[in-house]
Every structure is written in C-alpha cells, then in structure tokens.
C-alpha cells in the first residue's frame, strides 16, 4: 500500500507532517537518510547533579569541570580576590580558561560567618563538593569533609592533596612538580648524563583531576544503591606513582632500578626511538621481530635482518648506538609525514614529533572534534579542549566560557533565598563580590 508524507527535519529531529504522494519505500529511505545525517544531541548523563567547587589552580577545578562537561551544574566558590590562578600571569589565566568552563562563579569571604552561611546554603542543595586547598584550610573554615557529611550524609566530598592525609607530609603544600620529584618520575625523565627533568606540562595535576572525577562518578553510582555519599581522597603523590604503574611493577618484581635514558626503552629496541628525518623527527617502535623485519624491508635494508648486531631484540639493545645511527640513515631522506605514512602502511608504530602549531592543523586532531569553542554571555570566547572521549554518537557539548570571578554571585544568592536588600548588605560588608 502506498502512503504519502512530507518529511521535515529540525536540528535534532525528523517529523512526518502530512500526506503528499510518496511511496512507503521512499518515505523509509528518506527517513533513514535524514537520520544518518542529523547529528545526535550532546549527552548530559549528569544533568541534575549539583557540584560545589572550592578548588583552585588545576586539580580541583579540573575534576569539577569534567563533571560540568557531562551535564552537572557546577558552582565555583572563589575567594573575594578570586582563584589564585587569576593572579599568576598569563599561564594562570590559561589555567582558569582550561579548567573552569561551564561553571558559575560566586566570590565569598569564607572567613566571615556570613560568608560561611552562604556556603552552607549552597552545599545544602548539592550532591558533590570538591576542594584542593592547602592542608587543613577547609577544616579551619568548618567546611571539611567530616563537617559537611555530618550535616548532609548524601554529599560526596572529594579532597585532592599533595601527599595524602595519612603520612608525615600530610601538612606539606603539594604542587605537581613536588609529586613529580618525589614519585621517582623526574629520576627517569631526561638524558642519562644530565640532571633530572620534569615533564613538560603539569601532567600530575591534570591526571589527578581526571582520577578525582572518576572517583566521584563511582561514588555517585554507589549512592544510587546505598543512598549514602562518600568521602574521597586523591593525592598528587599517589597519582604520580599510578602513572608509572608498569615501571613500578617491574621494579617491585625484582627488576633493576630505572634510570634516565632519554629516548628509547631500556629493554627493547627500536622502541620509542627518536629518529631524525629531513624536516624534523619521528618516534619509532619496531622491536617485535616481525615488525623489525617489516621495517628493514620497507626501507630497502633487508640485510639488517641478519646483521649480527641487529638480529634479535637483545642484540639491538646491546648495540643501540649503532642501531640509532642506522635508523637515522634509513629515514633521513624522508619528511616526517612521509616516514610516518610509509611505516604505517607496513603496520609499524611511528609518530611525527609535532610542534603545537602543527598539532592544531593535523587532520586527525581536526576530525576528532576535541577543539571546542567556549562562548561567554557577551558572545566573546576562546578555543579550548573538550572531553577526550565520546558518548555514543552525541556531539561534544558546546561549553560556556570560564566565568569572571563572582560573575554569578547575585543570581546564586537570590536562588539561595537572599533578598535584594540582603545581597546589597553582603556586598557592602565585603562578604561577597
């Protein structure tokens, strides 16, 4: 039987609205075509979850922002003068932009009784509290995890510290760089004959933010079963150890103490080797015997397969200096992109060492959609990195830009039940900005 319809589509939906002389088969085909080309709406699995962010710099704010990207409502509670990152120059402002997208900001003097009362009103309606202030600071304010959860047992409370709460360093301030140093990470980073080096970015802070968000998600799921919240703790030191899991397992299993070797891996070759090309460098791993044979064939040097110096992984490790010289010879006539393309066609792992400007232009990065436009209320904004994963076919959400300090103070106070006169008095007394 033939039917006739007019099919229209909006941004996220297809509607059949009236008869119009098309066959049923045509209708089905048209609907399928439209469905394939209409992007799914962004997912917001944490819609309805409310988060209070007492954090500063990266780790605490980053954990809270991950929840915002998943649909949670996040209120950033800042000192009157703002997150300390707002006062450490250009990179500090970049921290604010990178780790505070999609939040609302209220600036409070939490040392005042009136400021703490505002905080308690905010906490009364929240599901999660996140803080990474200096050790003991939230407890002195009366807003520590035991204090909050005594009043509100359903609250999930995450604290991120430098060294954890159980050891002799619990009162020490902890930054990313201290955790890199004391976890062994710096001791294995850098060239063998040179001083230890830090990783080029605050990787421990960023990883602690992600692990903190992971812990919160687990606790939210647990609360669905138990009805009770949880007290969570992440330390930068433990995060730094966690990131070195395989290396630590080898050492704990009786392996030699790791040392700095620059590029390459201590027990395999070629593995993570830096190889010079005509216009830069690539990294190359082809230590499995089949991969090594394929590499030799790909570069027209099959005689290397049976070369006594390179005929096994152990021999290649023992003759790494000669191996690196041969690798440079084999690839020096290629551009980095051409070398990667050629090796990838042979299923050999390689990657071009790219500068930031090159990364932005790379087709894989563009296709990923990880770059998002964070837009502020006035229409201005900036480019930033979105979530590093997708959920189904949904688009990455278009986040709001990081708020100015106290941008939402008046509105949040009104939502907490304060009158216009109350808000004016709080501002006049320096309780809120």
């Amino acid at each position: 039987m033939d039917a006739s319809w007019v099919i229209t589509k909006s941004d996220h939906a297809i509607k059949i609205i009236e008869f119009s002389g098309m066959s049923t088969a045509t209708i089905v085909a048209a609907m399928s075509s439209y469905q394939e080309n209409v992007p799914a709406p962004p997912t917001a699995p944490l819609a309805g979850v409310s988060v209070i962010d007492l954090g500063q710099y990266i780790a605490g704010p980053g954990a809270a922002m991950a929840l915002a990207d998943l649909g949670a409502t996040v209120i950033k509670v800042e000192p009157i003068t703002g997150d300390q990152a707002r006062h450490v120059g250009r990179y500090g402002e970049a921290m604010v932009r990178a780790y505070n997208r999609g939040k609302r900001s209220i600036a409070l003097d939490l040392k005042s009784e009136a400021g703490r009362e505002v905080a308690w009103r905010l906490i009364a309606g929240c599901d999660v509290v996140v803080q990474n202030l200096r050790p003991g600071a939230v407890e002195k304010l009366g807003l520590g995890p035991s204090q909050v959860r005594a009043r509100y047992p359903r609250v999930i409370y995450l604290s991120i510290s430098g060294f954890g709460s159980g050891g002799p360093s619990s009162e020490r301030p902890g930054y990313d760089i201290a955790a890199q140093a004391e976890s062994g990470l710096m001791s294995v980073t850098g060239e063998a004959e040179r001083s230890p080096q830090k990783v080029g970015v605050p990787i421990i802070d960023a990883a602690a933010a992600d692990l903190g968000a992971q812990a919160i998600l687990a606790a939210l799921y647990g609360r669905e079963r138990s009805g009770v919240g949880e007290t969570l703790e992440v330390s930068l030191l433990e995060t730094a150890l966690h990131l070195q899991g395989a290396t630590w397992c080898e050492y704990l299993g009786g392996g030699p103490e790791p040392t700095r070797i620059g590029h390459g891996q201590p027990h395999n070759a070629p593995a993570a080797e830096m190889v010079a090309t005509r216009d830069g460098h690539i990294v190359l791993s082809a230590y499995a015997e089949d991969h090594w044979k394929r590499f030799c064939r790909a570069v027209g040097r099959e005689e290397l397969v049976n070369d006594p110096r390179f005929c096994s992984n152990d021999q290649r490790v023992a003759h790494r200096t000669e191996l690196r010289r041969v690798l440079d010879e084999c690839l020096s006539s290629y551009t980095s992109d051409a070398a990667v393309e050629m090796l990838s066609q042979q299923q050999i792992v390689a990657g071009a060492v790219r500068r930031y400007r090159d990364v932005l232009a790379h087709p894989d990065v563009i296709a990923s959609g990880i770059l998002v436009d964070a837009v502020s209320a006035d229409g201005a904004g900036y480019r930033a990195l979105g979530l590093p994963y997708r959920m189904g076919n949904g688009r990455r959400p278009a986040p709001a830009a990081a708020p100015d300090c106290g941008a939402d103070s008046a509105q949040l106070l009104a939502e907490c039940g304060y009158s216009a006169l109350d808000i004016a008095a709080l501002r006049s007394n320096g309780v809120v900005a």
Side-chain angles (χ1 to χ4, degrees):
M1 159 180 174
D2 285 342
S4 52
W5 310 81
V6 171
I7 301 176
T8 64
K9 68 186 180 77
S10 62
D11 285 344
H12 308 307
I14 297 171
K15 297 179 181 178
I16 302 174
I17 57 173
E18 63 181 51
F19 286 100
S20 113
M22 296 168 62
S23 71
T24 302
T26 303
I27 295 166
V28 172
M31 289 182 69
S32 298
S33 174
Y34 277 135
Q35 290 283 20
E36 288 173 2
N37 290 290
V38 175
T43 54
L46 296 188
V49 173
S50 178
V51 181
I52 302 299
D53 173 16
L54 299 172
Q56 303 206 33
Y57 292 119
I58 294 176
M65 192 188 73
L67 306 180
D69 279 347
L70 292 171
T73 297
V74 179
I75 298 171
K76 182 176 179 65
V77 178
E78 306 191 52
I80 294 293
T81 55
D83 185 325
Q84 292 181 40
R86 297 186 189 272
H87 305 285
V88 291
R90 182 173 178 172
Y91 190 67
E93 279 298 321
M95 288 185 203
V96 173
R97 294 195 304 271
Y99 296 105
N100 292 281
R101 292 184 286 96
K103 301 179 185 179
R104 304 167 76 192
S105 172
I106 182 170
L108 291 174
D109 176 9
L110 291 177
K111 294 180 180 179
S112 70
E113 184 175 345
R116 290 192 296 274
E117 172 58 28
V118 174
W120 277 114
R121 291 200 194 187
L122 293 170
I123 290 170
C126 85
D127 299 284
V128 178
V129 175
V130 177
Q131 71 89 17
N132 67 324
L133 305 182
R134 67 181 184 280
V138 287
E139 287 79 8
K140 289 179 182 177
L141 294 171
L143 299 171
S146 61
Q147 296 153 314
V148 168
R149 296 200 60 245
R151 278 207 208 186
Y152 304 107
R154 281 180 55 81
V155 167
I156 293 161
Y157 197 117
L158 168 68
S159 296
I160 301 179
S161 64
F163 299 96
S165 60
S169 295
S170 60
E171 299 301 314
R172 286 173 57 192
Y175 280 20
D176 174 284
I177 192 62
Q180 288 197 39
E182 299 203 12
S183 67
L185 182 59
M186 285 181 63
S187 76
V188 298
T189 304
E191 299 292 336
E193 303 304 321
R194 298 189 178 186
S195 299
Q197 296 288 313
K198 69 177 180 66
V199 178
V201 296
I203 191 171
I204 309 304
D205 278 342
D210 289 340
L211 291 175
Q214 174 183 313
I216 290 168
L217 293 174
L220 284 168
Y221 181 73
R223 193 180 70 174
E224 290 299 304
R225 297 181 170 188
S226 68
V228 179
E230 189 58 87
T231 300
L232 307 172
E233 184 178 348
V234 171
S235 78
L236 300 184
L237 177 62
E238 290 168 284
T239 297
L241 290 166
H242 169 77
L243 292 179
Q244 303 171 74
T247 306
W248 269 105
C249 274
E250 181 188 19
Y251 180 64
L252 293 169
E257 185 168 34
T259 59
R260 295 184 299 285
I261 63 169
H263 61 101
Q265 295 177 356
H267 309 305
N268 296 289
E273 308 291 344
M274 189 85 70
V275 184
T277 63
R278 196 171 77 208
D279 61 350
H281 295 83
I282 68 166
V283 288
L284 165 70
S285 285
Y287 52 88
E289 294 308 324
D290 182 54
H291 291 187
W292 173 244
K293 291 175 182 177
R294 273 189 265 148
F295 173 82
C296 295
R297 287 195 297 269
V299 297
R301 296 289 300 274
E302 291 192 67
E303 75 278 6
L304 296 174
V305 172
N306 297 314
D307 188 310
R309 300 169 298 170
F310 310 133
C311 61
S312 70
N313 180 68
D314 288 344
Q315 288 300 312
R316 292 191 294 274
V317 171
H319 297 88
R320 192 186 297 272
T321 299
E322 297 100 308
L323 175 66
R324 287 176 172 172
R325 186 164 53 248
V326 167
L327 295 176
D328 285 344
E329 291 171 358
C330 291
L331 297 175
S332 61
S333 63
Y334 290 83
T335 66
S336 293
D337 285 342
V340 169
E341 182 178 2
M342 179 270 292
L343 294 171
S344 297
Q345 288 173 353
Q346 302 299 318
Q347 297 298 301
I348 296 168
V349 175
V353 179
R354 303 191 191 283
R355 300 169 298 178
Y356 271 43
R357 70 188 76 169
D358 302 323
V359 171
L360 290 176
H362 194 272
D364 289 325
V365 173
I366 295 170
S368 75
I370 195 170
L371 287 167
V372 296
D373 292 307
V375 181
S376 56
D378 62 5
Y382 53 86
R383 302 221 78 189
L385 300 179
L387 288 174
Y389 53 85
R390 287 190 182 84
M391 303 188 72
N393 293 321
R395 304 187 311 276
R396 282 188 175 89
D404 292 335
C405 178
D408 306 287
S409 293
Q411 185 178 2
L412 288 166
L413 288 169
E415 291 172 9
C416 287
Y418 289 90
S419 69
L421 288 174
D422 294 331
I423 296 170
L426 289 170
R427 287 192 185 279
S428 177
N429 294 327
V431 174
V432 64

